[in-house]
Amino acid sequence: MTAVLAGCGVTGGDGDVRLTLVAADYDLAGGDSTEKYWAGLTAAYEASHPGVDIDVRIESWNDVDRVVAELVDAGKAPDLAQIGAYADHAAAGRLYSADELLSVPVQANFLAPLISAGEMRRVQYGMPFAASTRLLFYNKKLFARAGVAKAPTTWDELADDARKLKRAKVPYPFALPLGPEEAQAETMMWLLSGGDGYTDDTGRYVIDSDANVDTFRWLKTELVDKGLTGPVAPGKLNRKAAFAAFSRGEVGMLNGHPSLMKEAAKQGVDVGMVPLPGRDERPRAAMGVADWIMAFKQNGHRREAGDFLNYVFSDANVLKFAGDNDLLPSTVSASHAMEDDPEHKALAPFLKALPDSRLYPVGKTSWARVSDTVKRNIGRAVEPAGSPDAVLATIGRAARTAEDAE
């Protein structure tokens, strides 16, 4: 969907400055909730800032990063973009830094892991617009049918529960979506669960570390080879299909995010949620995800863009967007407010996991290429004739090559 918001003073008027914003569409049902959010926000802002008009263009997540890149290449960069990645634009010197835009209280209010993920060379360019974390989801009804009394806390318990679910004729005892849609997310969750991740403490890629290879050996031998991941090969199973199967009551366990909780409840699935178990205990961090907003220098509207962003990150606006879309606030104060709101009680486990979460290495310009390499190849690591050692070594070499070219 592409829409330009009009009316309510959004595109008209004789303002001294016209700001342009390209934003992603979060309405999973194909409606206009994202459009309405920005229309209400910009109308309220313009009412108290008569010298500024704001044009908002909504693009689908399939297109929004490409659309912004094309505008930049054509010399028509928007003033603001709310998209999935900022690193390439920051590396090219196109963006204002956060401290050039935001007041000190607003910049300091972002959650710590989101600040770190928004930095390139210790300078923050990506401002976290919304966030989420991932938890292990399980179907309580299927657990009861299989005689599983409680959620797993270790990998051995998870595998044992999956075996019981299989004996109870559950189609997907543990759904493992390593298909190309979002394999980089499922992979990161398991790498963290195994004690490592995509990068080390210095920010260098370590995808083929001993711990990561051991993680995929375990997935292959203890889950996939034993027929515990369902009728679709993990490398062919996409997240969307796995979530749909969970909502139909066909999946015992999988890794999910807040929107799945709501959709499954609509279908009558009684959902339990816990942190993904570690090899022997809870892993040191859950996976966090953030979407970013950034400001381009081209049009020279630093002051106006910064003032608008300070308004965007007010608690009321952050909470409304997060609440409307089953996402988590990106700021400390809004997170505390959501924790205290009974209406959002179901999000409490996700909120608890976010402050200590680890995010994709989005501050690296190589990450887009590395992520694509993971998406295209990681499923082969758990194929019947696959070799986790060989596949992760190939991905690791490609990652280091991309990193050296940054």
Side-chain angles (χ1 to χ4, degrees):
M1 178 182 73
T2 302
V4 178
L5 304 186
C8 302
V10 176
T11 59
D14 299 315
D16 298 322
V17 173
R18 184 179 299 274
L19 294 179
T20 55
L21 164 64
V22 178
D25 182 13
Y26 285 78
D27 196 315
L28 299 177
D32 61 355
S33 64
T34 302
E35 180 178 347
K36 287 180 177 178
Y37 172 80
W38 284 113
L41 185 151
T42 54
Y45 180 82
E46 289 176 342
S48 58
H49 297 77
V52 180
D53 293 331
I54 304 171
D55 288 346
V56 182
R57 173 176 172 178
I58 309 297
E59 294 282 352
S60 77
W61 270 112
N62 292 334
D63 301 322
V64 67
D65 285 83
R66 174 185 55 78
V67 166
V68 170
E70 290 175 350
L71 289 170
V72 169
D73 290 344
K76 300 178 180 179
D79 293 292
L80 299 157
Q82 188 273 298
I83 54 179
Y86 66 86
D88 285 347
H89 300 301
R94 301 175 187 132
L95 303 180
Y96 291 116
S97 63
D99 59 6
E100 292 178 297
L101 298 161
L102 302 176
S103 69
V104 171
V106 170
Q107 188 177 2
N109 196 27
F110 293 128
L111 290 160
L114 306 185
I115 293 175
S116 297
E119 291 179 342
M120 172 177 284
R121 302 182 185 94
R122 301 189 181 278
V123 177
Q124 184 181 1
Y125 296 97
M127 290 158 280
F129 180 70
S132 71
T133 50
R134 302 292 194 263
L135 296 174
L136 177 69
F137 281 52
Y138 62 97
N139 184 315
K140 292 182 179 180
K141 181 179 179 181
L142 296 181
F143 265 41
R145 190 201 334 180
V148 180
K150 62 182 182 67
T153 59
T154 67
W155 285 2
D156 286 344
E157 290 179 4
L158 186 149
D160 185 55
D161 292 346
R163 287 191 291 270
K164 292 176 182 177
L165 289 161
K166 183 180 180 181
R167 287 196 296 269
K169 308 299 183 184
V170 174
Y172 293 86
F174 189 99
L176 184 67
L178 294 175
E181 178 193 352
E182 205 187 29
Q184 84 286 359
E186 188 72 19
T187 297
M188 183 171 177
M189 284 181 269
W190 281 102
L191 299 186
L192 292 174
S193 178
D196 210 337
Y198 282 125
T199 57
D200 62 17
D201 292 339
T202 69
R204 296 284 295 180
Y205 288 116
V206 289
I207 295 171
D208 53 352
S209 70
D210 290 344
N212 289 340
V213 172
D214 284 346
T215 292
F216 268 83
R217 286 175 184 160
W218 186 89
L219 286 172
K220 176 174 165 50
T221 59
E222 299 301 321
L223 292 184
V224 182
D225 289 352
K226 294 182 179 178
L228 301 179
T229 54
V232 180
K236 302 293 184 183
L237 182 65
N238 281 324
R239 180 197 62 168
K240 184 176 180 179
F243 280 15
F246 185 85
S247 297
R248 293 194 301 268
E250 299 173 2
V251 175
M253 296 177 280
L254 53 59
N255 294 317
H257 56 58
S259 66
L260 175 60
M261 172 185 65
K262 187 173 184 179
E263 183 58 31
K266 285 181 183 178
Q267 303 299 323
V269 175
D270 190 3
V271 179
M273 296 174 293
V274 294
L276 178 63
R279 185 181 296 274
D280 300 308
E281 58 186 12
R282 182 175 296 184
R284 59 178 177 170
M287 188 185 83
V289 177
D291 302 324
W292 307 97
I293 194 165
M294 60 213 70
F296 286 85
K297 294 178 178 179
Q298 180 179 310
N299 301 319
H301 294 152
R302 181 187 64 82
R303 183 177 63 82
E304 294 84 1
D307 190 73
F308 177 65
L309 287 169
N310 283 318
Y311 181 75
V312 167
F313 286 113
S314 67
D315 281 356
N317 288 325
V318 171
L319 282 167
K320 177 168 176 52
F321 189 84
D324 287 352
N325 294 280
D326 294 310
L327 294 168
L328 305 181
S330 60
T331 64
V332 174
S333 57
S335 294
H336 290 330
M338 182 174 275
E339 288 174 355
D340 294 338
D341 187 346
E343 181 181 347
H344 298 297
K345 182 179 179 180
L347 291 173
F350 297 96
L351 287 164
K352 184 178 180 180
L354 184 57
D356 296 318
S357 64
R358 289 182 61 179
L359 284 77
Y360 298 131
V362 291
K364 298 170 74 68
T365 57
S366 58
W367 169 241
R369 296 188 296 280
V370 172
S371 175
D372 183 64
T373 301
V374 172
K375 288 180 182 181
R376 288 186 289 105
N377 292 283
I378 197 63
R380 295 190 294 108
V382 296
E383 289 178 350
S387 166
D389 302 60
V391 172
L392 267 70
T394 298
I395 296 172
R397 285 193 297 272
R400 287 186 288 274
T401 298
E403 184 174 57
D404 291 342
E406 286 186 309

